[in-house]
Every structure is written in structure tokens, then in C-alpha cells.
């Protein structure tokens, strides 16, 4: 019994010595998320517009049903999303939308600081997603 | 003129002034230790668990106790509507006050000669010092029962009863383990016990001091463990048992009243450390001048208590009770018998 007590105490004491702490001082010090991390979405732009062709595949596959797309046609007769909106409060960051997209128009970035004060601020419109 | 012991009979104003200074000094020192013990505890446990602990307020979180204090003052203070108001308000004080008055009999340094008078560095030297300590330690239980009862909550009531059962059981064992010490020193006065620990060990081994930790290692261990259980420190912090009792007897307490319970826990830690140092580690004797020795010993004990908390999980209630009644009390009784036999043989 005493051996075990001594062992436990020695382990915690060893941790007390400098160099064991793994804490990151978050707001001043940040870790870089890995490349595969799924954070905020981004609509990929091409020359003058977004790459998205408003095919409705992503709202269909989205398990949380949080993507709103409304398609329209521009002067050149190309389909484009007049409205593209993601409700981040419902999104579960599964990345299915990214996988479903046939033209790779949507991707996920490493942005993880998504806190906000108002519900409206979690509605990510096309303009915000294009940034 | 040879200096004489300062007392009420030979210089009233000076006596009262010296008393006031001593009381203030002890009070301030204990409060400071209590405040910064919370910081040290969070830091040390943080590092032991490979975290940093508080870092934001001040250099390495050094101003954290002050910030915590301010926060607690401004928090909403809730008294449950059906609670018995007076006992509810009295209970935190009933726990805190005994802790502070116990320190009154702990000698913290050698006698000072100032002018014509000898002034002892001790608030008062009772010739029944140990009995006084045991009596005062027993008072804390009332606060806990009162808090549990007055809150008008089942959690609090159960928590209160449970904690009082724990505190009373371990008080017995702690009290019994001390008896061996005053069998050796033949006095109940703490100052007497400290002076009995002067000189080399057993009068012959010159490189070790005559501290009772060497003559009474079992009593020392028992006292530290039982003391720990009596003041409800981890791993014996069953009054708080969040898992089953939602912090037990102080469930309904908030704001400053809750902080008083917290202060009492740390003040009790200081007291137990000081008593253990006085009874077993030679009190203020040591390589440094006067009170610094006692302070260092108290700090060492506090560090040990914090270290224990960072290492061991809380024991179960039945384990706690079994340990207290079936292990610690018989052991301390056996120790008394043994000490008695040895003392008689040596005479
Ligand atoms: S990550 Fe998943 S939940 Fe979020 S929008 Fe894409 S498909 Fe929907
Ligand atoms: S799947 Fe791609 S192209 Fe289709 S609507 Fe979604 S983002 Fe646009």
C-alpha cells in the first residue's frame, strides 16, 4: 500500500517540475488546426463570380438541413445561386456539403472562432461565405 | 533591574498593547496565508496536473485572490425562502471563528526582552492548551450541522449529518493520538511541549533535534491523517462530495457566505499545520530566527496537503468510517499503551 502511495505522490511531484505544463494561453497564443480540420465554410470564387452552379446537391445531402439555395440565371445563361445561406447554428460541420459538390465550389476552412452575440450573426450569407 | 514577565499585574497599558499587536499580527498572517493558499493550491495542483493554473490577473495570476474576493463580494447573495435565517447566517461564522481562535495558544517564537519586560511570542499560554485546541476544533462541527439544518434542503441536511459524523469520529482519533505527546512532555501547555522538544534527540543523539516526530512517528502519522479528515481536506472531503450530495452542507450558500466556508477550510489547514508543527516538529525551533521556522513548517505541511489533493481520489464514505473506527482509533490506543509502558520503564 505504501509503495503505491509513494508512487502516486512521486508522479504528481515530477509533474510539478518545470516543463511539464501543456496549457496554451489561448487568446494570445493559438495552435494551428490541422489541414483536415472542418471549420467555417467558404464559397470558392472564380474570375467574376462564385464557382457554385446552384445544383441543389449540398442542401439535399446536408443532414442538418441548414443550407438554403435559390437558383437563378444570369445574362450569359449560366445558373448561379441568387441566395446561398448556411445557418451555422444548425450545421454540424460534417463536411458532406463539400463532398457532394460536383464543381468543388464549397470548401471548409480552419476558422474556428465562431462565437457571436446574436442569432442573426450565425446566418452566413453568400457575401460572407465568399470572403 | 532584571526583566520580568509582562502581565496584567505589572504594566497594564503595555500588556494590552502587546496583546493587541500580537492578535493583529496573528490575524493578518493567517488571513494572508489563507488568501494566498488558494492561489498556491490552484498553481501547484495545476502544475501537478500538467496545467498552468491562473495566469491572467497579475504576474502568474498573483492578483487572483484579490479578484476572487471582489467577485464574491458582488455576487448575488441568496437565502432560501424557507431557511431558518438566523442559524443560516450564523453557521459560516461558527465554522470560521473556532479556526481563528485556536491559533491563540500556538507559540510562534522565543520570548522577547523589550526594555524591562519579557514578552512571549504567543497570544496566551494556557496550561491546558491542548484541551483548548481539542475543544475549539470540536466547535466547527456545530457550524456544519447548523448550516445543513438551517438550509432547509435535503442535500444540505444529509451533507451536514454526514460531515458531522466524519468530523466527530476523526476528532476522537486525532485527540487520542495527541495523548502520547503529552505523556512524553508531561505538560498540556503548548509552550511547555515546545520547550520539551529542545536539545538533542533523547539527550544523546546530537545531530537530530528532540522532536516528537522521532519519538512518536505513529502518533504523528495518525494526527496528520486524522487532522486532515477532521478539517475535511481531500482525500477526505466528503462533505463536498459533488457526485452524490452537490457540495453537501453548503449547497444553499452563495456569495460571501460561501466564501466564509472556503476561508474556514484554509484557515483550518493553517491551524492543523501549526499544531502538527508545534506538537511534533519542535514548533518555532529550527535553524532560522523565531517565527520563520514555524511559518516554514506550516508551509511545508500546507504543500503536503495540496500535494495529497493533487494525487489521491476521494475515499468512499464507508471506507472513511471503517478506517476511522477500525484502524485509526485502535492504532492510537495501542500507541498510548506502548508509550505508557516505555515511559514507565524509562523512569
Ligand atoms: S457541414 Fe454538414 S451540416 Fe454543415 S452545411 Fe455542410 S452538409 Fe450541412
Ligand atoms: S453542391 Fe456545390 S454547386 Fe451545388 S449548390 Fe452546393 S455549392 Fe453549389
Amino acid at each position: 500500500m505504501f509503495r503505491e502511495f509513494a508512487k502516486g505522490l512521486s508522479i504528481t511531484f515530477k509533474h510539478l517540475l518545470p516543463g511539464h505544463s501543456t496549457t496554451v494561453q489561448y487568446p494570445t497564443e493559438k495552435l494551428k488546426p490541422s489541414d483536415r480540420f472542418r471549420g467555417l465554410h467558404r464559397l470558392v470564387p472564380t474570375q467574376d463570380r462564385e464557382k457554385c452552379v446552384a445544383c441543389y446537391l449540398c442542401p439535399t445531402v446536408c443532414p442538418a438541413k441548414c443550407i438554403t439555395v435559390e437558383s437563378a440565371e444570369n445574362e450569359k445563361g449560366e445558373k448561379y445561386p441568387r441566395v446561398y445561406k448556411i445557418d451555422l447554428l444548425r450545421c454540424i460541420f460534417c463536411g458532406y456539403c463539400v463532398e457532394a459538390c460536383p464543381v468543388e465550389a464549397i470548401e471548409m476552412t480552419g476558422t474556428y472562432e465562431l462565437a457571436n452575440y446574436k442569432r442573426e450573426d450565425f446566418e452566413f450569407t453568400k457575401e460572407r461565405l465568399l470572403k | 533591574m532584571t526583566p520580568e514577565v509582562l502581565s496584567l499585574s505589572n504594566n497594564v497599558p503595555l500588556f494590552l498593547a502587546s496583546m493587541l499587536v500580537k492578535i493583529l499580527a496573528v490575524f493578518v498572517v493567517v488571513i494572508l496565508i489563507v488568501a494566498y493558499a488558494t492561489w498556491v493550491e490552484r498553481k501547484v495542483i495545476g502544475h501537478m496536473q500538467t496545467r498552468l493554473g491562473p495566469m491572467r490577473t497579475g504576474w502568474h495570476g498573483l492578483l487572483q485572490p484579490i479578484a476572487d474576493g471582489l467577485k464574491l463580494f458582488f455576487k448575488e447573495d441568496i437565502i432560501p425562502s424557507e431557511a431558518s435565517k438566523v442559524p443560516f447566517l450564523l453557521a459560516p461564522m461558527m465554522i470560521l471563528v473556532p479556526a481563528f481562535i485556536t491559533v491563540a495558544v500556538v507559540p510562534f517564537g522565543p520570548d522577547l526582552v523589550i526594555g524591562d519586560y519579557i514578552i512571549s511570542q504567543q497570544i496566551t499560554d494556557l496550561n491546558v492548551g491542548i484541551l483548548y485546541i481539542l475543544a475549539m476544533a470540536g466547535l466547527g462541527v456545530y457550524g456544519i450541522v447548523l448550516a445543513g439544518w438551517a438550509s432547509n434542503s435535503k442535500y444540505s441536511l444529509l451533507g451536514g449529518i454526514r460531515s458531522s459524523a466524519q468530523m466527530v469520529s476523526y476528532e476522537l482519533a486525532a485527540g487520542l493520538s495527541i495523548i502520547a505527546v503529552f505523556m512524553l512532555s508531561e505538560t498540556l501547555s503548548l509552550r511547555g511541549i515546545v520547550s520539551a522538544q529542545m536539545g538533542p534527540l533523547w539527550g544523546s543523539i546530537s545531530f537530530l533535534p528532540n522532536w516528537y516526530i522521532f519519538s512518536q512517528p505513529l502518533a504523528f502519522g495518525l494526527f496528520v491523517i486524522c487532522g486532515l479528515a477532521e478539517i475535511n481536506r481531500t482525500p477526505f472531503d466528503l462533505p463536498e462530495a459533488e457526485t452524490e450530495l452537490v457540495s453537501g452542507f453548503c449547497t444553499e450558500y452563495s456569495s460571501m457566505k460561501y466564501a466564509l466556508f472556503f476561508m474556514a477550510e484554509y484557515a483550518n489547514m493553517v491551524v492543523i499545520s501549526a499544531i502538527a508543527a508545534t506538537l511534533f516538529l519542535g514548533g518555532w525551533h529550527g535553524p532560522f530566527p523565531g517565527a520563520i521556522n514555524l511559518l516554514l513548517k506550516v508551509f511545508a505541511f500546507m504543500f503536503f496537503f495540496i500535494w495529497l489533493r493533487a494525487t489521491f481520489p476521494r475515499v468512499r464514505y464507508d471506507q472513511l468510517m471503517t478506517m476511522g473506527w477500525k484502524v485509526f482509533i485502535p492504532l492510537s490506543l495501542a500507541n498510548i499503551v506502548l508509550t505508557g509502558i516505555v515511559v514507565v520503564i524509562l523512569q
Side-chain angles (χ1 to χ4, degrees):
Chain A
M1 193 174 80
F2 291 105
R3 271 242 314 284
E4 281 83 0
F5 277 141
K7 199 169 172 192
L9 286 170
S10 78
I11 289 174
T12 38
F13 192 80
K14 262 184 236 141
H15 288 169
L16 188 65
L17 306 175
H20 281 279
S21 164
T22 50
T23 311
V24 174
Q25 294 290 301
Y26 166 59
T28 47
E29 216 183 291
K30 287 175 189 167
L31 296 178
K32 199 186 162 302
S34 87
D35 292 340
R36 301 171 61 179
F37 180 77
R38 297 198 293 260
L40 180 65
H41 309 68
R42 187 177 88 107
L43 282 176
V44 185
T46 53
Q47 289 93 1
D48 52 343
R49 47 164 284 202
E50 63 285 332
K51 225 172 172 181
C52 172
V53 292
C55 69
Y56 288 97
L57 274 179
C58 55
T60 312
V61 79
C62 174
K65 295 276 169 276
C66 62
I67 309 181
T68 315
V69 185
E70 273 175 31
S71 81
E73 255 175 48
N74 64 9
E75 325 71 71
K76 291 187 235 160
E78 297 163 338
K79 269 175 88 185
Y80 79 101
R82 192 163 52 81
V83 177
Y84 194 100
K85 231 171 32 190
I86 299 181
D87 180 0
L88 266 236
L89 276 182
R90 297 181 58 191
C91 172
I92 55 168
F93 300 93
C94 61
Y96 285 1
C97 49
V98 178
E99 274 175 47
C101 183
V103 292
E104 290 181 358
I106 185 163
E107 62 184 26
M108 293 185 108
T109 61
T111 311
Y112 55 87
E113 287 161 315
L114 299 170
N116 249 322
Y117 288 101
K118 291 202 294 292
R119 294 190 82 85
E120 300 86 85
D121 293 336
F122 289 99
E123 289 261 295
F124 278 75
T125 55
K126 192 168 81 178
E127 288 68 38
R128 287 176 78 188
L129 288 170
L130 272 169
K131 264 186 222 144
Chain B
M1 185 177 146
T2 50
E4 50 183 326
V5 177
L6 182 67
S7 73
L8 259 182
S9 55
N10 51 23
N11 192 336
V12 178
L14 191 61
F15 178 73
L16 292 181
S18 74
M19 270 317 224
L20 202 68
V21 170
K22 283 192 271 190
I23 291 173
L24 265 180
V26 168
F27 186 71
V28 169
V29 167
V30 173
I31 285 274
L32 275 180
I33 298 181
V34 165
Y36 273 88
T38 60
W39 177 78
V40 172
E41 170 136 42
R42 289 164 74 179
K43 273 313 217 194
V44 169
I45 292 192
H47 282 281
M48 283 182 169
Q49 297 173 342
T50 69
R51 300 179 283 121
L52 282 177
M55 288 294 279
R56 292 270 151 221
T57 2
W59 182 80
H60 280 251
L62 211 53
L63 299 178
Q64 195 66 45
I66 299 168
D68 285 342
L70 282 176
K71 185 189 83 173
L72 283 162
F73 264 114
F74 289 113
K75 280 190 101 166
E76 190 186 2
D77 197 355
I78 298 165
I79 300 177
S81 55
E82 294 299 314
S84 327
K85 298 263 166 9
V86 177
F88 188 79
L89 296 177
L90 274 180
M93 294 171 228
M94 290 261 334
I95 296 176
L96 189 58
V97 169
F100 275 96
I101 51 184
T102 316
V103 202
V105 293
V106 175
F108 42 87
D111 289 345
L112 294 177
V113 180
I114 297 176
D116 291 337
Y117 297 105
I118 300 170
I119 300 176
S120 64
Q121 292 192 49
Q122 181 182 18
I123 292 175
T124 181
D125 183 40
L126 290 179
N127 50 10
V128 289
I130 292 189
L131 293 186
Y132 170 82
I133 285 177
L134 289 176
M136 289 306 126
L139 280 183
V141 178
Y142 287 98
I144 289 202
V145 177
L146 212 57
W149 171 257
S151 302
N152 188 30
S153 144
K154 289 181 185 64
Y155 288 122
S156 304
L157 183 61
L158 285 175
I161 292 171
R162 220 164 80 136
S163 326
S164 50
Q166 171 186 344
M167 290 170 79
V168 172
S169 318
Y170 277 81
E171 216 166 278
L172 273 178
L176 286 175
S177 66
I178 299 180
I179 290 181
V181 167
F182 52 74
M183 283 168 83
L184 289 185
S185 65
E186 293 170 10
T187 170
L188 289 178
S189 134
L190 264 76
R191 183 215 279 264
I193 291 174
V194 170
S195 36
Q197 292 181 70
M198 286 207 287
L201 187 58
W202 300 316
S204 50
I205 305 171
S206 55
F207 58 92
L208 282 176
N210 191 21
W211 294 351
Y212 287 147
I213 184 176
F214 302 118
S215 338
Q216 288 289 344
L218 183 62
F220 173 74
L222 285 172
F223 180 74
V224 171
I225 297 173
C226 297
L228 210 58
E230 199 200 324
I231 61 172
N232 307 322
R233 268 295 291 190
T234 335
F236 307 108
D237 58 339
L238 284 145
E240 278 168 50
E242 303 90 353
T243 38
E244 64 261 38
L245 276 179
V246 223
S247 74
F249 68 93
C250 53
T251 309
E252 305 294 339
Y253 282 86
S254 50
S255 167
M256 232 19 227
K257 289 204 291 299
Y258 180 74
L260 287 185
F261 285 122
F262 233 91
M263 277 175 69
E265 171 172 345
Y266 287 95
N268 276 324
M269 240 165 100
V270 178
V271 168
I272 284 287
S273 311
I275 295 172
T278 306
L279 293 184
F280 293 98
L281 295 183
W284 48 266
H285 290 294
F288 303 103
I292 296 175
N293 291 309
L294 187 65
L295 272 181
L296 285 178
K297 288 169 193 170
V298 168
F299 290 156
F301 271 112
M302 305 261 295
F303 176 80
F304 180 66
F305 293 160
I306 292 172
W307 188 9
L308 281 183
R309 176 172 178 175
T311 311
F312 298 120
R314 178 184 294 137
V315 297
R316 224 170 47 219
Y317 196 69
D318 59 314
Q319 294 172 330
L320 176 95
M321 281 317 221
T322 314
M323 238 153 55
W325 287 97
K326 293 189 182 159
V327 181
F328 292 147
I329 292 181
L331 266 182
S332 44
L333 284 173
N335 192 42
I336 292 173
V337 173
L338 216 88
T339 312
I341 294 172
V342 171
V343 167
V344 168
I345 291 175
L346 287 184
Q347 262 169 3

